[in-house]
Amino acid sequence: MKRKITLKQIARELDVSISTVSKALRNSNEISEDTRQKVQAFAKLYNYRPNNIALSLKNRKTKTIGIIIPEIVHHFFSKVIRGIELVANKRGYNVIVGLSNESFSKEVINMEMLANGSIDGFILSISKETLQQQDYHHFTETINQGMPIVMFDRVVNEIQCDKVIVDDLNGSKKAVFKLIEKGCKNIAIITTKDYVSVGKLRTQGYLEALEEKQIKAKGSLILKVDDALVSDDHLEVLEKDIETLFTANKNIDGVFAVNEIYAITAMKVARKLNLRVPEDVQFIGFTDGVLSKHATPTLTTVSQHAQQMGEKAADLLIDNLEIEEEEEHYQTVVIETELIERDSTK
Amino acid sequence: MKRKITLKQIARELDVSISTVSKALRNSNEISEDTRQKVQAFAKLYNYRPNNIALSLKNRKTKTIGIIIPEIVHHFFSKVIRGIELVANKRGYNVIVGLSNESFSKEVINMEMLANGSIDGFILSISKETLQQQDYHHFTETINQGMPIVMFDRVVNEIQCDKVIVDDLNGSKKAVFKLIEKGCKNIAIITTKDYVSVGKLRTQGYLEALEEKQIKAKGSLILKVDDALVSDDHLEVLEKDIETLFTANKNIDGVFAVNEIYAITAMKVARKLNLRVPEDVQFIGFTDGVLSKHATPTLTTVSQHAQQMGEKAADLLIDNLEIEEEEEHYQTVVIETELIERDSTK
DNA sequence: TGTCAACACGAAAACGTTTTCGTAACCCAT
DNA sequence: ATGGGTTACGAAAACGTTTTCGTGTTGACA
């Protein structure tokens, strides 16, 4: 077992100084052609690679990006990570991942662990608990220490930083317009409680779309599900809720759901009630994940371009890290959604 | 913007030496009660946190685990990551993620980037390309440099290291036995080409199960799909292949698929051919992901306990890192599978 | 022969820690 | 007064780099 070789060891072997070795390897012209070749040959032979930690300490930057997300077993978030990783690697950065698990304290702890030198900046999406408690001190502190943050998807106005968000409002409007265009007269929405900003916005989009088409929104057609129900354990409760929605409103001919699970589950319930999709009821879901593509019938969705979000977030952060000037000029990038039509609409 | 404070700055402010500050903060009894309190108060006030990079350099360990996986937008892998992250955090480690994207060169590059000091050890699953080329030099080199590796799921006998694998063989057997028990006489398998070790093992399990039940395997019932077809773009090709399988073998009454997508797609094709599930044909898939739970009908699957694999892998690695003794005693942990019965079987 | 530049290299500082060792200053006992 | 043992602190090395600066040697030139 041969440990990694260091400059010092090379220097000792070749009977020169550490400085000389370092310079030789970096092709400094302070070093004679002779020694340079000798050193480089030796280094190659022993497969010398500079120690990243030492470099980080010296340069006071780690070339590493910290990602904090609420959950990784989630199509959207893993696609974002892939996007981040893609451009990060291309630009010479590594990616270190922390999971908040939707918990405020884990978010704080994770950020503190990483903020002490391990990374150069954060890309994150805020946990639900943090959003509820509205306690954002860990973000402000991090930013105050000179460590840039880019937020994506679940963002918050109170914090001044770069942001990448989905155009939730217009995405929802597009979806609802499509349903109307396809002939739906009574469109229900299955959404979450309002404190999740994206749920709120999507609901708002639904309402605005109806209003613009002079359709009166009815409270009975709005189902606000406790979002803990996305977790697999509570599927039956969710199904029950949706069944109630359908039986109480026999005239529903279109459903807009703010996520895939709700949409798929609603389709399932509809079929159980002998409603034909899309003939009797049409469905559109937000978030284009695996489920939509493989559902029966395949689900028409509003795609969020998650990977593109990750790429953009990474570019914003790295630009920020590598720009010299201190003038803070934060931007909020809006990623447009795209309606992907499949078989759950006519 | 106040940058992070260092020992040196505290020392200067309080007019003591750096050593004193360090000792005071670590409650050394070399330091008088007086100065200790003074230093600690000051440190608290300025929210002092030791710089991780400096600690890493000093201790020659980073308390960080490197994960290399082929793909992150994948239920199985993200669940494994969650498991790793869970125990890693609990034991004071961070997790840094590299994606090989199923490419040999990206796997090598990613490992080299991380191996130069950034991490203490690897947890990885080998990329398909690497498995095809059978070039494992980067693994041996890493291990030779004293950096431990734990492989999971896609492992390889040639490399001596800790491994965590699924009991693919018995999992498949269980599934096929179940189909036989439920009355299937003509069981088809939809699998991948053999170079993916797990595909190979699962096929073998299928064959062994049939043999044990004195059922003669028929080549026409074995569909080996080019595994590039899992990617969403080639769904139609996959469907076509499966359709051919069904039409050429009208008597198929059971299907075992080595992954979720194959199973779901096969169910879809079956229904298109007016076969009832599970009355006419029963289905079992390997890998218990999101799709299975939300398919119609819900899919009976062989669950791999992905998160548990991640947890085990992390425990193995950290044990290895924190144990003093050099004696290498590698183990291969087999995670048992579990058959989850849903509506695609009678 | 003396001066000066160019050349080739080494010493040392710096990044932020921890830890070993040395040592003043004090107290107590002889 | 001398010696020995605490106590409380500081100096310095070490981790592995990069970079600035200093310096000895050479050769050319007047």
Side-chain angles (χ1 to χ4, degrees):
Chain A
M1 188 174 89
K2 38 168 191 182
R3 281 231 105 82
K4 298 232 67 162
I5 197 169
T6 69
L7 287 186
K8 190 193 283 194
Q9 292 171 44
I10 300 183
R12 197 185 312 135
E13 291 294 322
L14 297 183
D15 207 39
V16 290
S17 78
I18 297 180
S19 342
T20 305
V21 177
S22 175
K23 289 173 190 162
L25 291 175
R26 324 197 88 237
N27 286 315
S28 157
N29 54 4
E30 277 185 40
I31 303 300
S32 71
E33 192 56 32
D34 245 27
T35 23
R36 192 190 315 179
Q37 297 209 346
K38 195 173 55 177
V39 171
Q40 296 199 353
F42 191 91
K44 183 159 199 173
L45 179 64
Y46 283 87
N47 194 28
Y48 169 78
R49 294 275 181 281
N51 179 304
N52 284 333
I53 294 293
L55 285 179
S56 295
L57 185 59
K58 179 127 220 343
N59 301 329
R60 290 145 106 204
K61 52 180 143 182
T62 61
K63 290 265 182 183
T64 303
I65 293 175
I67 303 182
I68 311 277
I69 52 172
E71 171 62 86
I72 197 170
V73 187
H74 193 300
H75 196 255
F76 173 71
F77 287 122
S78 45
K79 271 210 153 175
V80 174
I81 293 191
R82 187 211 260 165
I84 296 173
E85 219 260 354
L86 197 77
V87 337
N89 270 16
K90 194 186 303 167
R91 299 183 67 170
Y93 283 73
N94 273 318
V95 157
I96 180 163
V97 173
L99 268 36
S100 70
N101 211 22
E102 301 287 11
S103 134
F104 172 75
S105 61
K106 268 211 74 182
E107 185 175 277
V108 173
I109 291 174
N110 250 313
M111 284 189 68
E112 279 178 357
M113 279 192 66
L114 296 184
N116 299 316
S118 305
I119 60 162
D120 295 340
F122 280 108
I123 295 179
L124 58 85
S125 192
I126 308 179
S127 84
K128 283 182 190 159
E129 202 182 348
T130 309
L131 287 172
Q132 278 185 62
Q133 301 185 197
Q134 304 191 25
D135 183 347
Y136 309 128
H137 75 277
H138 49 310
F139 301 138
T140 26
E141 274 172 21
T142 308
I143 294 172
N144 276 338
Q145 281 171 11
M147 178 163 300
I149 292 183
V150 177
M151 295 187 176
F152 72 90
D153 196 45
R154 303 207 204 140
V155 305
V156 102
N157 283 329
E158 286 89 328
I159 304 292
Q160 298 269 325
C161 65
D162 285 325
K163 291 159 191 163
V164 183
I165 55 175
V166 175
D167 191 352
D168 286 292
L169 192 102
N170 280 313
S172 302
K173 287 176 77 169
K174 267 192 237 179
V176 177
F177 282 152
K178 175 62 72 181
L179 287 172
I180 296 172
E181 176 193 317
K182 295 285 186 185
C184 298
K185 304 293 181 199
N186 293 283
I187 303 174
I189 180 173
I190 306 177
T191 181
T192 60
K193 307 274 186 207
D194 272 352
Y195 61 84
V196 182
S197 58
V198 299
K200 187 173 180 180
L201 280 171
R202 290 172 196 171
T203 309
Q204 191 185 333
Y206 163 81
L207 293 172
E208 286 188 15
L210 291 183
E211 192 180 345
E212 283 186 31
K213 296 291 180 188
Q214 271 105 37
I215 299 177
K216 193 140 164 272
K218 292 203 295 185
S220 61
L221 292 183
I222 301 179
L223 175 57
K224 292 200 183 180
V225 184
D226 189 344
D227 69 310
L229 302 186
V230 189
S231 93
D232 304 323
D233 319 322
H234 301 81
L235 260 184
E236 314 81 36
V237 190
L238 177 60
E239 287 179 15
K240 189 75 79 190
D241 281 0
I242 295 175
E243 192 168 338
T244 312
L245 174 71
F246 275 118
T247 49
N249 302 275
K250 300 280 189 193
N251 56 357
I252 292 178
D253 54 3
V255 173
F256 171 57
V258 298
N259 61 48
E260 254 188 347
I261 305 265
Y262 291 176
I264 300 275
T265 311
M267 281 210 297
K268 192 182 290 183
V269 171
R271 266 215 311 265
K272 209 178 83 187
L273 299 174
N274 286 319
L275 296 167
R276 290 168 307 162
V277 182
E279 291 80 0
D280 300 331
V281 196
Q282 302 184 58
F283 288 85
I284 298 186
F286 216 106
T287 302
D288 184 43
V290 257
L291 288 176
S292 309
K293 234 164 302 185
H294 296 281
T296 29
T298 53
L299 180 69
T300 297
T301 56
V302 180
S303 166
Q304 295 168 295
H305 297 150
Q307 176 165 345
Q308 191 188 329
M309 288 188 72
E311 293 170 12
K312 189 64 200 177
D315 269 324
L316 279 176
L317 182 64
I318 299 178
D319 285 350
N320 193 327
L321 290 173
E322 297 187 344
I323 234 58
E324 301 300 318
E325 20 165 353
E326 279 295 302
E327 49 155 332
E328 292 160 353
H329 191 64
Y330 297 126
Q331 38 181 321
T332 296
V333 177
V334 178
I335 304 285
E336 289 303 323
T337 59
E338 182 188 359
L339 193 70
I340 299 184
E341 293 193 51
R342 298 206 183 84
D343 300 339
S344 65
T345 47
K346 285 182 194 163
Chain B
M1 189 175 88
K2 38 168 191 184
R3 282 230 103 84
K4 300 232 65 161
I5 197 169
T6 69
L7 288 187
K8 191 193 284 195
Q9 293 170 43
I10 300 184
R12 197 185 312 137
E13 291 294 324
L14 297 183
D15 209 38
V16 291
S17 78
I18 296 180
S19 342
T20 305
V21 178
S22 175
K23 289 172 190 162
L25 290 176
R26 322 197 89 237
N27 286 314
S28 159
N29 52 3
E30 277 185 41
I31 303 298
S32 71
E33 192 56 30
D34 244 27
T35 24
R36 194 191 310 181
Q37 296 209 348
K38 194 173 56 175
V39 170
Q40 295 198 353
F42 192 90
K44 183 158 199 176
L45 179 63
Y46 282 87
N47 194 28
Y48 170 78
R49 294 276 180 280
N51 179 304
N52 284 333
I53 294 292
L55 286 180
S56 296
L57 184 58
K58 179 120 216 352
N59 302 330
R60 288 144 109 207
K61 53 180 142 183
T62 61
K63 291 270 185 178
T64 303
I65 294 176
I67 303 182
I68 311 277
I69 52 172
E71 170 64 82
I72 198 172
V73 187
H74 194 300
H75 196 256
F76 174 72
F77 287 121
S78 44
K79 272 211 154 174
V80 173
I81 293 191
R82 188 211 261 165
I84 296 174
E85 218 261 353
L86 197 76
V87 338
N89 271 17
K90 194 185 305 169
R91 299 182 67 169
Y93 283 73
N94 274 317
V95 156
I96 180 165
V97 173
L99 268 36
S100 70
N101 209 22
E102 302 286 12
S103 134
F104 172 75
S105 61
K106 266 213 74 182
E107 184 173 278
V108 174
I109 290 174
N110 251 313
M111 286 189 66
E112 280 179 356
M113 279 192 66
L114 297 184
N116 299 316
S118 305
I119 61 162
D120 295 340
F122 280 108
I123 295 179
L124 57 86
S125 191
I126 309 179
S127 84
K128 283 182 189 158
E129 202 183 349
T130 308
L131 288 171
Q132 279 186 62
Q133 300 182 198
Q134 304 191 22
D135 182 347
Y136 308 129
H137 76 276
H138 48 310
F139 302 139
T140 27
E141 274 172 20
T142 308
I143 294 172
N144 276 338
Q145 282 171 11
M147 177 163 302
I149 292 183
V150 177
M151 293 187 179
F152 72 90
D153 195 47
R154 303 206 205 140
V155 306
V156 102
N157 284 329
E158 285 90 328
I159 304 292
Q160 299 268 325
C161 64
D162 285 326
K163 290 161 193 163
V164 183
I165 55 175
V166 174
D167 191 354
D168 287 292
L169 193 101
N170 280 314
S172 301
K173 287 175 77 168
K174 265 191 237 178
V176 176
F177 284 151
K178 175 62 71 179
L179 287 173
I180 295 171
E181 175 192 317
K182 295 284 184 183
C184 297
K185 304 293 180 201
N186 293 282
I187 302 175
I189 180 174
I190 307 178
T191 180
T192 61
K193 307 273 187 207
D194 273 350
Y195 61 84
V196 182
S197 59
V198 298
K200 187 174 180 178
L201 280 170
R202 291 173 195 172
T203 309
Q204 191 185 332
Y206 163 81
L207 293 172
E208 287 188 14
L210 290 184
E211 193 181 345
E212 283 185 33
K213 297 292 179 186
Q214 271 105 38
I215 299 177
K216 192 139 165 272
K218 292 203 297 185
S220 61
L221 293 184
I222 300 178
L223 175 57
K224 292 200 182 181
V225 183
D226 189 341
D227 69 309
L229 302 188
V230 191
S231 93
D232 304 322
D233 317 322
H234 301 81
L235 260 184
E236 314 80 37
V237 190
L238 177 61
E239 287 180 15
K240 190 75 82 190
D241 282 359
I242 295 176
E243 189 167 341
T244 312
L245 173 72
F246 276 118
T247 50
N249 303 276
K250 300 281 189 192
N251 56 358
I252 291 178
D253 55 3
V255 173
F256 171 57
V258 298
N259 61 47
E260 253 188 347
I261 305 266
Y262 291 176
I264 299 274
T265 311
M267 281 209 299
K268 191 181 293 184
V269 171
R271 266 215 312 265
K272 209 179 82 186
L273 298 173
N274 287 318
L275 297 167
R276 289 167 306 163
V277 183
E279 292 80 2
D280 301 331
V281 196
Q282 302 183 58
F283 288 85
I284 297 186
F286 215 106
T287 302
D288 183 45
V290 256
L291 288 176
S292 310
K293 232 164 302 182
H294 296 281
T296 28
T298 54
L299 181 69
T300 297
T301 55
V302 181
S303 166
Q304 297 168 293
H305 298 151
Q307 177 166 341
Q308 191 188 331
M309 289 188 71
E311 292 170 12
K312 188 66 198 173
D315 270 324
L316 279 176
L317 182 64
I318 299 179
D319 286 350
N320 193 326
L321 289 174
E322 297 188 343
I323 232 60
E324 301 299 318
E325 21 165 353
E326 278 294 303
E327 51 158 329
E328 291 159 357
H329 191 66
Y330 296 126
Q331 38 182 323
T332 296
V333 177
V334 178
I335 304 284
E336 289 302 324
T337 59
E338 181 189 357
L339 193 70
I340 299 184
E341 294 192 52
R342 298 206 184 84
D343 301 337
S344 65
T345 47
K346 285 179 194 167

